[in-house]
Amino acid sequence: MPNGFDEWVRFFNAFLWGAPMLLLLLGTHIFLTIRTGLIQRKTFLGIRLSFAKEPQSSGDISQFGALTTSLASTLGTGNIIGLGTAVALGGPGAVFWCWVTGVLGIATKYAEALLAVKYRVRTPDGRTLGGAMYVLERALGMKHLARLFALFTALATLGIGCGVQVNAISTVMDESFHIAPLSVGVLVCALAGLVIFGGVKSISTVCERLVPFMGLLFLMGNFYLLWMNRAYLWDALCCIVTLAFQPGAAAGGLVGSGFLAAARAGTARGLFSNESGMGSAPIVAAAAQTRNPVRQALVSATGTFWDTVVLCLITGLVIVSSLMRMPSLNAAQLSDGGLLTTLAFSQIPVFGPIILSASMVLFAFSTILGWSYYGERGAEYLLGKRALIPYRILFCAVLLIAPTIALDTVWAMADILNALMAIPNLIAVLLLSGVVAKDTRYYLRHLEESEAAADGAPR
């Protein structure tokens, strides 16, 4: 049995994120994919809708603002080093399973966003609030479970969305520019505070500009690496697919770890990466300006598409093709996921480390902004609007001191709280899957009819 608090935290974390949780999440993804009639086929409709405005709709921020704010929270440092970790643990085949998990996770992200918008509430001062806590209370009458979700969200935000992210920024700034951790804490606290105290409109405005820029910056580096590694791309793709199902060796000494190891590492990375089923992104989806829950759900579901299906797949291809291009790498170098990504970007002369460092800082900072909103909503649900200012002050205090402390245990505790967030959220989504299916059929049928009428109208 574990001895001491730290060991108990790690033991409980491993238990919560073991096979049962992974199977629950993956099973929910598959079930909702079937229940929604393969909603993934409407992904490109969701992308189109994310740039369109819905006239005379209620909400606090635009649909695109809600999407970029949710992407801000999911596009964290894990996206940069996460695929390297998956490849290190499960071999190249892990990239395939990460991608499959992302495709299936679109259905769960869609369902939880639909419910968040459908059961959202309007406050006396005109704000729009929603999320799993309101779904559990208003649709299922599970107020105690709703309070637990809100509590787990408020606490998890201080860890995974605050302390861990600013610590990652501090590490990059120390390694690259030798800036003291406390100085980093002061700077991040000041910049984030300016945004956070402006409320959701301020957060979404910054995220609307920051997320496309940082995503494009990181993708530009990846695309340059894909061009450099173009002679190995087909072999890398074949290697990823082949080693997803069986052990073997690939060019450059790259070795598969077997079907189970690849599936476990890739699935876990995919589930962590896109947060589908966690219940976090629907909180901001509920604030979107829309009259129809299905419409916003289609937009929100594209977040998983961009995060896992696109970004993680491209990053995985970069890592595997780079390892094939550099056969001198030894097994010891393949054991660290962060090192794999660093080695891949080191192929870009001069600018490679700069792009990687800048991406790490921007991804972490955007996560801070996105998760700050989730934590606020959890705190407000529990204690009312009076909790907002104290919670923001507490959040900024964590930003200030986190760079100066070790966060191994905080990481584990944050993972535990994330798992505890997912459980009540998945209960709500599964119990209300019939509502999701009914609303989906109704909206899509009327959408198709309206588009057909528009196509047949005289021009």
Side-chain angles (χ1 to χ4, degrees), residues 157-158 161-163 166 182 184-198 365 368-369 372 376 388-403:
T157 296
L158 298 176
C162 182
V166 72
L182 184 58
V184 173
V186 171
L187 179 61
V188 174
C189 176
L191 292 176
L194 287 173
V195 180
I196 292 168
F197 276 86
F365 185 74
I368 290 170
L369 298 182
S372 70
E376 282 187 16
L388 291 182
I389 298 301
Y391 188 85
R392 289 170 182 170
I393 293 173
L394 175 61
F395 189 89
C396 289
V398 174
L399 288 175
L400 185 64
I401 65 173

Side-chain angles (χ1 to χ4, degrees), residues 206-263:
V206 173
C207 289
E208 280 185 31
R209 291 160 174 75
L210 181 60
V211 169
F213 170 76
M214 72 182 193
L216 183 61
L217 175 67
F218 188 57
L219 282 175
M220 284 175 59
N222 276 291
F223 284 138
Y224 185 80
L225 287 168
L226 289 177
W227 172 254
M228 291 180 64
N229 301 343
R230 60 190 180 278
Y232 302 89
L233 288 183
W234 178 250
D235 287 340
L237 188 60
C238 292
C239 170
I240 287 170
V241 175
T242 300
L243 295 183
F245 299 95
Q246 62 184 28
L254 204 54
V255 178
S257 301
F259 164 73
L260 289 178

Side-chain angles (χ1 to χ4, degrees), residues 83 87 95 218-229 232-233 236 240 311-326 340-341 343-348:
L83 258 293
V87 171
V95 177
F218 188 57
L219 282 175
M220 284 175 59
N222 276 291
F223 284 138
Y224 185 80
L225 287 168
L226 289 177
W227 172 254
M228 291 180 64
N229 301 343
Y232 302 89
L233 288 183
I240 287 170
L311 191 61
C312 285
L313 177 62
I314 291 173
T315 306
L317 270 175
V318 164
I319 291 172
V320 175
S321 61
S322 295
L323 291 173
M324 290 180 170
R325 189 168 180 261
M326 298 182 289
L340 288 180
T341 309
L343 289 170
F345 272 81
S346 67
Q347 298 175 93
I348 303 177

Side-chain angles (χ1 to χ4, degrees), residues 85-387:
T85 301
V87 171
L89 295 175
V95 177
F96 174 85
W97 292 110
C98 179
W99 185 80
V100 169
T101 302
V103 172
L104 295 173
I106 289 173
T108 301
K109 184 65 71 70
Y110 166 84
E112 58 187 3
L114 187 156
L115 294 172
V117 177
K118 185 178 181 69
Y119 295 104
R120 65 185 180 178
V121 300
R122 173 76 71 173
T123 64
D125 59 358
R127 293 175 301 128
T128 305
L129 307 179
M133 52 279 208
Y134 295 95
V135 176
L136 287 162
E137 178 186 349
R138 301 186 69 207
L140 297 171
M142 297 180 176
K143 181 127 187 181
H144 293 304
L145 205 56
R147 287 184 172 277
L148 284 175
F149 176 85
L151 176 63
F152 296 147
T153 301
L155 294 177
T157 296
L158 298 176
I160 194 69
C162 182
V164 168
Q165 302 302 325
V166 72
N167 199 271
I169 294 175
S170 174
T171 300
V172 172
M173 299 302 285
D174 183 31
E175 293 176 350
S176 302
F177 306 104
H178 306 293
I179 299 177
L182 184 58
S183 299
V184 173
V186 171
L187 179 61
V188 174
C189 176
L191 292 176
L194 287 173
V195 180
I196 292 168
F197 276 86
V200 65
K201 292 183 179 180
S202 173
I203 293 171
S204 69
T205 298
V206 173
C207 289
E208 280 185 31
R209 291 160 174 75
L210 181 60
V211 169
F213 170 76
M214 72 182 193
L216 183 61
L217 175 67
F218 188 57
L219 282 175
M220 284 175 59
N222 276 291
F223 284 138
Y224 185 80
L225 287 168
L226 289 177
W227 172 254
M228 291 180 64
N229 301 343
R230 60 190 180 278
Y232 302 89
L233 288 183
W234 178 250
D235 287 340
L237 188 60
C238 292
C239 170
I240 287 170
V241 175
T242 300
L243 295 183
F245 299 95
Q246 62 184 28
L254 204 54
V255 178
S257 301
F259 164 73
L260 289 178
R264 182 167 56 249
T267 300
R269 183 63 260 155
L271 294 173
F272 283 135
S273 172
N274 57 57
E275 296 180 10
S276 293
M278 198 85 71
S280 51
I283 295 174
V284 71
Q289 295 168 346
T290 184
R291 291 177 297 172
N292 192 293
V294 174
R295 180 186 175 102
Q296 178 56 36
L298 288 170
V299 174
S300 294
T302 64
T304 297
F305 172 79
W306 294 120
D307 177 86
T308 309
V309 179
V310 174
L311 191 61
C312 285
L313 177 62
I314 291 173
T315 306
L317 270 175
V318 164
I319 291 172
V320 175
S321 61
S322 295
L323 291 173
M324 290 180 170
R325 189 168 180 261
M326 298 182 289
S328 61
L329 295 178
N330 57 48
Q333 288 177 302
L334 303 182
S335 62
D336 186 328
L339 181 58
L340 288 180
T341 309
T342 301
L343 289 170
F345 272 81
S346 67
Q347 298 175 93
I348 303 177
V350 181
F351 293 104
I354 296 176
I355 292 174
L356 184 60
S357 297
S359 297
M360 287 281 286
V361 170
L362 292 176
F363 276 42
F365 185 74
S366 72
T367 300
I368 290 170
L369 298 182
W371 270 90
S372 70
Y373 180 74
Y374 302 157
E376 282 187 16
R377 296 287 72 80
E380 182 172 3
Y381 182 84
L382 292 170
L383 302 172
K385 190 178 178 181
R386 67 180 183 275

